[in-house]
Amino acid sequence: YGADEKTDIAMRVLSDHIRAVSFAIADGQLPSNNKAGYVIRRILRRAVRYAYTFLNFKTPFINELVPLLAKEFEGVFDELIQQQDFVQKVVLEEEVSFLRTLVTGVQRFETYAESNTAVGGEFAFELFDTYGFPIDLTELLAREKGMEVDMAGFQEALQVQKDRSRAATAIDTGDWVAVSEDDQIEFVGYDNLKATTEIVKYRKVTAKGKEQYQLVLSVTPFYAEGGGQVGDSGVLLSESTGEKIYITDTKKENGLIVHFTNTLPVQMEGTFEAKVDVQKRLDTENNHSATHLLHAALKEVLGTHVNQKGSLVNADILRFDISHFAKVTEEELKQVEDIVNAKIRENIPLKEQRHVPFQQALDSGVTALFGEKYGDYVRVITFDDQFSKELCGGTHVKATGQIGFFKIISESAVAAGVRRIEAITGTKCAAVIREHFDLVHRLGELLHNPKDFVSTLSKVIDENSALKKEIEKSIIEKSLALKSDLEQKIQQINGVNFLATQVELPNAEALKTLAYALKGAVDNLFLVLGADFEGKPNLTVVVSDQLSKERGLNAGTIVRELAKEINGGGGGQPFFATAGGKNPEGLPAAIAKAKNYIQ
C-alpha cells in the first residue's frame, strides 16, 4: 500500500465494500436481482472488478476478508461473528459467479476497444443483456481508456427489450363500472368462510386473448393473495336469481380486494352470498401454519441465522426458502420433521392478536422479515410463546392438531446462500402415504412378499446386473465372430480396403464394437455398416486415419450424406461417425451409395 495510486484505491474499495456487504448479509439481506438485494450485488461486483483489474486477483479472494472483518468488529457487531461462515459462503458464491461474467465481459471489451474509439450503445447492451455485464462497469472500463459510452443508444436498446417483454405480457384493463355507492370494503375471512354481500364495482380484463372480469364486493370472506399464500376461490350466489358465479382467484390491488371470475351475473344489483371453497382454504391453512412451525424448527436445528427468504403456500404444497450456507442434511431434515410433528401433536391453540402497534410487537420478541414493509399496526400469529411468534397477514388453523401430519419432500439450492424446502401436510400427506403403501404392496406381490424386502430386492438387482453383463458379453462375442466373416468380404478398390454391408446386431454398441475391431485389424480401411434395430435404421462409417489425411475423406460428412437415404441425420469425427433414421428400407441404397466416395 502506498506504492501506486490505483492499487491504493482498489484496496480502499475492497475494505469499504466488504464491510457494507458483510453487514447487510448478516442482517438478512442477500444479493439478488432486484430491490435492496441488487444494491448488495452491485457493491460486491464493483469490489470484485477492482480486485481483478488492479490487484490481479483472478480467483475468489474477497470472501477471505470476512473472518478478519468479523474479528475486527467483535464486541461492536457480534452478529457477523455468529454468521461468519454463512456470510463468507454467500460472498464466495457471488465472487465465483461474477468472475466468470467478468472474465468474458472484460475480454470482449478489450477486443472491442482495440478497433473502436467509442463504445456503441448496441455493444454495451450486448454485454449487459447477453453476458450479464453491468453497464456501470462498462462505463468504468471505458473511462479508464478515455472512451465514451453511447448511453442514449444503450437506453434505446434497453427500452426496445422492455417494450418487447411488456407486449408479451400485456393486459388490457377496462374502466371500473360502479354498481353501488358503498365504498366501505370489509374483509371477514379470518372469522367467516361465507358472507352476505353486494357487488360494489366490476371491470373487464383481457390478457393473452382471454377475457376475465374483476369484482369488488362490499363484504368478502375471500383472502387475497399475499405473504406467500394463494388467493381464495369459491362461488358467488345470487339471492334473487339463484345464479352461481365461480370466483377463480382473489388478489389485492391498491388496497382493494379483487375477485376474478370468467362470467358476470345477469343481475348485478341485489345481494349475494359469497362462499369460500372450504376444503381448499383448510388445506392452505394447514400448509401456512406449518411454515411457521417449520421456520421455528429450522432455527432450532440449524441456528438463529436462518431467516425466511420467500414462501409459497397453496392447498397442495408449502415451499419455504431460507438463508443457509450449506445443504440441509438428511439427519437435520429428520430433526426438523420430528420437531414440527411434535408441535402438531401438542395441538397448540392459535393465539391471534390484531391491530398490534408495530414497535410493541417487535418488543415482544416477534419474528419480522428483513426488508418486508409493515404498517403502523400488525397482526401477530403465535403457536406457543416460546416457540413460534411471527408477524403475518395470512389465514391459519385454530390449533396445530388440525395440520394432521407434516412431511418434507425435497430440499434444494435456489441461489447463493438460499435453500428451498418443500413439504406437504394434512390430506395431501394422507394421499401420499397411501400411494407409497400401495406401491410397496404391489412391489411386495411381485417379489412374492419376502420377509426382508430390501435384501430380496438387492438380490434381484444383482442378478439382473449379472445377466446384463452376460448378454453384453454374448453380444460382443457375436460382433467379433462377424469380424472374421466380414474381413473375407473386403475389396481392394483404388488402393483402398473397402467394405459396405448390412449386418444383424442387436444395438448400436455392438455395431460400434465391430466397427472398431475391423478398423484395428485392417489398414487403409473405408467401412460402412448398416443395421436395423427393431425398425430403427443405423449407419456407421469408419475411415482410417491415413485415408482421412491423404484423401480428405471425412466420416462425419459422409454419414450425413448417406443418412438422407434413411430419412435421418448424424455426425461424428473424421475417422468415426454414426447416423440414425426413420426409413429402414433405405439401408440398401445408402450402402450402395458408399462406393461412390472411392471410385
Side-chain angles (χ1 to χ4, degrees):
Y1 184 82
D4 181 84
E5 185 182 5
K6 286 185 177 180
T7 56
D8 288 355
I9 291 172
M11 289 181 191
R12 292 198 295 273
V13 166
L14 260 65
S15 176
D16 176 75
H17 287 24
I18 194 60
R19 281 199 304 271
V21 167
S22 297
F23 292 163
I25 294 172
D27 264 345
Q29 181 58 62
L30 293 173
S32 68
N33 283 332
N34 52 51
K35 299 182 180 178
Y38 187 54
V39 177
I40 303 306
R41 176 162 283 168
R42 286 186 65 178
I43 292 172
L44 184 52
R45 286 180 168 184
R46 191 166 185 266
V48 172
R49 189 261 158 180
Y50 267 89
Y52 177 88
T53 303
F54 300 111
L55 301 178
N56 202 34
F57 284 118
K58 308 302 183 188
T59 56
F61 161 76
I62 299 172
N63 69 92
E64 295 178 23
L65 298 175
V66 174
L68 175 63
L69 180 68
K71 185 172 174 53
E72 289 287 323
F73 280 85
E74 187 174 3
V76 179
F77 193 75
D78 287 332
E79 290 91 336
L80 191 52
I81 289 181
Q82 295 163 9
Q83 301 187 52
Q84 176 182 309
D85 290 342
F86 173 67
V87 174
Q88 188 169 0
K89 176 75 172 178
V90 173
V91 173
L92 172 61
E93 291 196 19
E94 282 291 310
E95 279 193 274
V96 170
S97 173
F98 185 59
L99 273 169
R100 286 195 294 265
T101 298
L102 188 63
V103 170
T104 305
V106 168
Q107 287 174 348
R108 286 190 65 81
F109 182 88
E110 293 294 340
T111 303
Y112 180 87
E114 287 175 5
S115 55
N116 292 273
T117 56
V119 180
E122 287 191 3
F123 175 72
F125 181 72
E126 180 193 343
L127 286 180
F128 170 78
D129 187 50
T130 307
Y131 300 98
F133 201 73
I135 185 61
D136 54 329
L137 285 189
T138 301
E139 288 183 292
L140 197 60
L141 291 173
R143 279 199 300 272
E144 288 167 4
K145 291 186 176 294
M147 300 169 71
E148 290 287 330
V149 179
D150 177 13
M151 287 305 296
F154 172 81
Q155 292 297 340
E156 185 180 338
L158 183 62
Q159 190 60 48
V160 168
Q161 186 203 50
K162 285 181 177 178
D163 292 342
R164 192 161 50 240
S165 299
R166 198 174 289 120
T169 57
I171 298 176
D172 181 16
T173 305
D175 294 331
W176 285 110
V177 178
V179 177
S180 73
E181 296 183 3
D182 190 348
D183 59 357
Q184 295 297 313
I185 311 301
E186 183 183 3
F187 172 65
V188 297
Y190 290 140
D191 305 306
N192 300 288
L193 295 182
K194 60 182 179 180
T196 300
T197 187
E198 295 178 353
I199 296 175
V200 176
K201 55 184 177 180
Y202 70 92
R203 68 182 177 187
K204 185 166 77 171
V205 176
T206 305
K208 294 183 179 179
K210 182 183 177 183
E211 288 187 351
Q212 275 189 308
Y213 298 92
Q214 296 177 347
L215 309 176
V216 175
L217 306 178
S218 59
V219 180
T220 180
F222 290 87
Y223 176 79
E225 179 184 303
Q229 180 175 334
V230 298
D232 279 332
S233 56
V235 295
L236 200 61
L237 297 171
S238 171
E239 294 191 349
S240 59
T241 66
E243 186 182 10
K244 182 186 288 186
I245 301 297
Y246 289 94
I247 303 298
T248 58
D249 200 0
T250 312
K251 297 180 185 292
K252 262 192 179 176
E253 183 181 305
N254 299 324
L256 279 179
I257 297 176
V258 179
H259 308 77
F260 288 73
T261 177
N262 293 325
T263 57
L264 287 175
V266 176
Q267 180 66 42
M268 301 294 289
E269 294 83 7
T271 56
F272 294 81
E273 185 179 29
K275 297 174 68 175
V276 171
D277 181 333
V278 176
Q279 191 59 54
K280 178 185 173 185
R281 166 71 84 86
L282 291 176
D283 289 341
T284 303
E285 285 179 347
N286 287 343
N287 284 333
H288 198 158
S289 296
T291 62
H292 284 226
L293 302 182
L294 172 61
H295 195 183
L298 286 165
K299 282 180 175 289
E300 194 171 304
V301 173
L302 303 180
T304 55
H305 67 275
V306 169
N307 281 304
Q308 180 179 337
K309 289 296 166 190
S311 68
L312 169 68
V313 179
N314 60 31
D316 295 321
I317 199 168
L318 69 89
R319 190 178 73 201
F320 198 67
D321 296 346
I322 59 166
S323 53
H324 188 55
F325 53 86
K327 178 178 174 60
V328 186
T329 66
E330 287 295 325
E331 187 56 40
E332 288 168 337
L333 290 174
K334 287 176 184 176
Q335 290 179 44
V336 169
E337 268 188 9
D338 288 344
I339 291 170
V340 173
N341 281 311
K343 294 299 177 182
I344 290 171
R345 288 191 296 273
E346 285 180 33
N347 199 27
I348 303 165
L350 166 67
K351 180 182 175 185
E352 178 192 13
Q353 298 166 279
R354 301 176 191 173
H355 308 297
V356 180
F358 179 58
Q359 192 56 50
Q360 180 184 321
L362 290 183
D363 294 341
S364 72
V366 74
T367 298
L369 303 183
F370 183 88
E372 190 73 23
K373 293 179 181 178
Y374 296 103
D376 295 333
Y377 293 89
V378 292
R379 180 166 170 261
V380 180
I381 296 296
T382 305
F383 291 108
D384 183 347
D385 280 300
Q386 303 305 312
F387 185 69
S388 172
K389 193 172 187 178
E390 295 192 26
L391 299 183
C392 183
T395 64
H396 288 275
V397 299
K398 301 304 179 189
T400 58
Q402 181 187 316
I403 298 170
F405 190 68
F406 171 85
K407 177 64 184 170
I408 294 172
I409 57 173
S410 73
E411 188 275 348
S412 59
V414 179
V418 180
R419 307 297 300 185
R420 171 167 293 170
I421 292 174
E422 292 187 327
I424 53 176
T425 64
T427 53
K428 188 70 175 179
C429 253
V432 169
I433 290 169
R434 188 180 300 113
E435 201 175 281
H436 279 71
F437 265 91
D438 288 345
L439 176 63
V440 171
H441 179 69
R442 290 200 302 274
L443 289 173
E445 287 182 334
L446 288 172
L447 297 170
H448 306 295
N449 297 311
K451 290 182 179 178
D452 190 338
F453 192 95
V454 174
S455 64
T456 302
L457 190 57
S458 295
K459 186 179 177 182
V460 169
I461 291 170
D462 290 342
E463 288 175 353
N464 185 53
S465 179
L467 287 171
K468 278 185 176 179
K469 287 178 181 176
E470 285 295 320
I471 292 169
E472 287 170 6
K473 183 180 176 183
S474 173
I475 289 171
I476 290 170
E477 288 173 354
K478 184 179 180 181
S479 301
L480 296 178
L482 273 175
K483 171 177 168 286
S484 300
D485 294 339
L486 294 178
E487 281 180 303
Q488 304 304 315
K489 297 179 180 179
I490 292 174
Q491 298 175 275
Q492 275 272 343
I493 302 175
N494 295 331
V496 175
N497 287 317
F498 172 78
L499 176 63
T501 187
Q502 186 170 339
V503 294
E504 288 187 17
L505 286 171
N507 55 44
E509 191 61 35
L511 197 62
K512 181 179 178 181
T513 300
L514 175 60
Y516 269 102
L518 286 166
K519 182 175 185 285
V522 180
D523 292 332
N524 221 29
L525 178 68
F526 176 47
L527 172 70
V528 177
L529 294 177
D532 181 358
F533 305 137
E534 297 180 354
K536 295 178 181 178
N538 186 284
L539 288 167
T540 294
V541 175
V542 170
V543 176
S544 72
D545 296 343
Q546 185 180 347
L547 279 178
S548 181
K549 290 175 184 175
E550 292 178 358
R551 303 205 183 185
L553 293 175
N554 186 303
T557 305
I558 294 169
V559 84
R560 277 192 290 272
E561 190 62 33
L562 297 180
K564 292 177 182 178
E565 301 294 335
I566 57 171
N567 296 342
Q573 298 167 299
F575 56 87
F576 180 85
T578 61
K582 300 175 184 176
N583 177 30
E585 286 75 19
L587 281 171
I591 290 166
K593 193 175 178 181
K595 193 177 285 188
N596 297 338
Y597 289 93
I598 56 169
Q599 284 183 330

